[in-house]
Amino acid sequence: MAATFTPASVAPVSSAAARLRATYHNMALWTLQGWIAMFFLAAGYAKLTESMANLITLMTWPAMVSEQFVRGLGIAEIVLAVGVLTPLVSWKIGRPLVVVSAAGLIVLEAVMLGVHALGGDIGLSIVNVLLLAITIPVLLGRRA
């Protein structure tokens, strides 16, 4: 008869503790999803409603692209932001959409990080790094 050895420092996790950990994990992900959605809804709305002169004053890159591109980017940001919140409506339908939306936002943020860094917009580059830091955990946490 073989005896199993369990070190005293490694206690088995109770199901209640696992549920509590999962609840905190879910709350943290929803908080991040809310922040992402608020940011991109506001950014997309600004790109759709502000004049190009104001956008060029705030950021240098709109001067290098067409107005239609800037407006299209605003629509894409709003659609992806809404996609991050789709699990609120239906988890079965929303879960794949939140993963796709988070992946799309990560691609968008990475490209814009490069654009801002090459354009010398250090403040906007830092914002994109922070956005990546909150969007990547959402993608990783919701894909499983």
Side-chain angles (χ1 to χ4, degrees):
M1 179 174 249
T4 59
F5 175 73
T6 305
S9 63
V10 180
V13 178
S14 71
S15 61
R19 282 193 311 270
L20 185 62
R21 188 176 316 119
T23 299
Y24 286 141
H25 183 256
N26 191 41
M27 287 176 17
L29 288 174
W30 273 114
T31 301
L32 294 177
Q33 285 172 250
W35 289 345
I36 293 166
M38 285 188 298
F39 179 86
F40 282 103
L41 284 171
Y45 180 78
K47 287 178 182 76
L48 288 175
T49 60
E50 288 293 323
S51 68
M52 284 298 287
N54 284 348
L55 292 174
I56 291 169
T57 302
L58 294 171
M59 307 173 281
T60 56
W61 69 267
M64 297 179 254
V65 297
S66 69
E67 182 176 353
Q68 291 80 14
F69 181 82
V70 174
R71 305 301 185 205
L73 186 59
I75 292 170
E77 287 176 341
I78 290 173
V79 168
L80 291 172
V82 170
V84 168
L85 298 177
T86 54
L88 287 172
V89 177
S90 167
W91 181 249
K92 187 175 184 178
I93 297 169
R95 185 173 179 193
L97 291 176
V98 73
V99 172
V100 170
S101 296
L105 287 171
I106 289 170
V107 170
L108 178 67
E109 293 161 6
V111 169
M112 291 313 293
L113 173 61
V115 168
H116 293 313
L118 291 174
D121 292 330
I122 301 303
L124 294 174
S125 298
I126 293 170
V127 168
N128 276 281
V129 169
L130 295 173
L131 287 170
L132 281 167
I134 66 173
T135 308
I136 291 171
V138 169
L139 175 65
L140 297 177
R142 293 297 187 203
R143 71 178 168 82

